[in-house]
Amino acid sequence: MRVWIQSNSKSTSLAIQRQLRFKLLQQHIKISEEYPDLVITVGGDGTFLSAFHRFSNQLDHLLFIGIHTGHLGFYTDWQDNELDDLVRLIVQNQKKIIRFPLLDVKVSYTNGHQSHFLSLNESIIKRVSQTMRADVLIDGHKFERFRGDGISMSTPTGSTAYSKSIGGAIVDPSLEVMQFNEVAPINNRVYRTVNSSLILPQKQILTILPDRQTDYIVTVDNLSYDHCSIQKIEYQIAREKIQIAEYRPKQFWLRVKNAFLVN
Ligand code: NAP
């Protein structure tokens, strides 16, 4: 087994990274950055997102584990004082593999170029300033004319992040769905949007056709692309999934309670 440990730059996380590396080497586990079988992140959910994007071209064989050095995260279940337990369970290799849905993001630019991304949390399109105007299509049929700040599409695991802050539902990640959320839509007697979250199933494609402008921002998780001239963005649930190594059972709704309800 080859393991890579990705840490954020905080001194506490770097110290945990060093300790973990030492403990893994003691068990004759190889440390490999290029082609790991297991990526262990040390930090918060943000660190986990960075590791996901760094290794998103190796998702078919790669497992992820998150250790948190701050507050409990949604992708980071292990505490920094549990390294011995974690290493023992890695050596014993008795795990369940949990797969979470990802969002497939296809961006077409007005110059004819295309970009393709996978998102673990969400992708947002908005304008640098002024109202964004766009047609929203579901499976090629016009659904609404949107006016407002922007549009967010999120995965189930991303539903506890930005999507929740803009009023989206929290979605159990065992459901293979994607969530559409409007960001500050304009609704009055002249302009009308659905003004509600939409939960869309596998294979449906949600397309955004923005008015021709040059100043769109497109985000994919913690990545941001500024001043884009977008012709259209197509969102659907990706064929790829992220695979998490689960060495002990955990309950999603207990984590939601711990993150948002219990002090
Ligand atoms: P960031 O500073 O890395 O993260 C912002 C906060 O979102 C952090 O507290 C982070 O937790 C938390 N977070 C990330 N993924 C989460 C998830 N799946 N469920 C619950 N909380 C989560 O911000 P960034 O680099 O700009 O963007 C990374 C992500 O942060 C984005 O994908 C977005 O979902 C989220 N974000 C949320 C808001 C908001 O709610 N208004 C604003 C900006 C970004 P950790 O502290 O554990 O890293």
Side-chain angles (χ1 to χ4, degrees):
M1 145 118 39
R2 288 160 307 204
V3 175
W4 179 246
I5 311 167
Q6 182 157 330
S7 165
N8 65 19
S9 57
K10 288 189 185 149
S11 57
T12 44
S13 303
L14 292 169
I16 295 297
Q17 183 188 33
R18 280 192 297 275
Q19 281 177 39
L20 181 59
R21 184 187 160 89
F22 180 74
K23 288 175 191 291
L24 289 168
L25 287 171
Q26 267 186 328
Q27 296 298 326
H28 311 291
I29 292 176
K30 291 196 184 91
I31 305 293
S32 162
E33 183 173 5
E34 220 178 337
Y35 294 110
D37 305 299
L38 175 67
V39 171
I40 305 178
T41 65
V42 184
D45 284 333
T47 316
F48 193 95
L49 287 170
S50 302
F52 166 77
H53 284 286
R54 180 167 177 187
F55 292 101
S56 64
N57 59 346
Q58 299 181 41
L59 294 180
D60 54 340
H61 67 271
L62 200 55
L63 295 175
F64 289 84
I65 293 178
I67 299 174
H68 61 90
T69 49
H71 55 91
L72 179 69
F74 276 86
Y75 300 111
T76 56
D77 328 291
W78 289 86
Q79 293 176 24
D80 49 12
N81 58 5
E82 296 181 305
L83 297 189
D84 288 330
D85 285 349
L86 178 58
V87 171
R88 181 176 47 79
L89 290 166
I90 289 173
V91 171
Q92 289 173 355
N93 198 24
Q94 284 181 347
K95 61 182 179 297
K96 208 170 146 189
I97 297 175
I98 307 292
R99 295 179 176 86
F100 291 141
L102 302 169
L103 190 66
D104 182 291
V105 184
K106 205 185 290 168
V107 184
S108 304
Y109 303 93
T110 50
N111 63 7
H113 290 163
Q114 279 197 340
S115 299
H116 185 229
F117 305 96
L118 286 176
S119 163
L120 179 55
N121 264 356
E122 79 287 296
S123 170
I124 305 164
I125 174 169
K126 54 193 175 187
R127 279 188 71 195
V128 175
S129 61
Q130 299 183 317
T131 304
M132 176 175 127
R133 293 186 297 274
D135 284 336
V136 176
L137 285 67
I138 298 177
D139 280 348
H141 301 286
K142 182 169 167 184
F143 177 74
E144 70 176 19
R145 173 77 171 156
F146 173 84
R147 291 174 186 80
D149 279 4
I151 287 171
S152 158
M153 287 296 293
S154 71
T155 64
T157 52
S159 69
T160 48
Y162 181 78
S163 172
K164 181 176 183 296
S165 297
I166 54 169
I170 298 181
V171 178
D172 190 300
S174 61
L175 298 171
E176 285 205 36
V177 294
M178 58 182 180
Q179 182 169 188
F180 163 93
N181 282 304
E182 298 171 347
V183 185
I186 300 175
N187 270 296
N188 52 35
R189 289 200 307 191
V190 184
Y191 302 134
R192 184 86 52 234
T193 72
V194 70
N195 200 8
S196 168
S197 296
L198 306 178
I199 307 284
L200 302 173
Q202 246 189 339
K203 296 207 169 101
Q204 272 190 345
I205 301 179
L206 188 134
T207 307
I208 298 174
L209 297 174
D211 278 5
R212 274 184 181 260
Q213 302 289 347
T214 56
D215 59 348
Y216 290 102
I217 297 176
V218 175
T219 73
V220 179
D221 303 334
N222 50 343
L223 311 171
S224 179
Y225 304 91
D226 296 355
H227 299 292
C228 304
S229 303
I230 309 282
Q231 192 234 327
K232 69 174 173 183
I233 304 190
E234 292 164 294
Y235 292 113
Q236 62 183 314
I237 298 166
R239 268 180 312 195
E240 300 87 342
K241 287 199 168 71
I242 184 170
Q243 306 189 86
I244 314 277
E246 191 183 85
Y247 291 99
R248 53 186 184 192
K250 52 187 180 253
Q251 216 245 7
F252 174 71
W253 293 104
L254 193 60
R255 194 175 318 183
V256 171
K257 178 181 163 188
N258 286 335
F260 299 117
L261 297 174
V262 179
N263 283 323

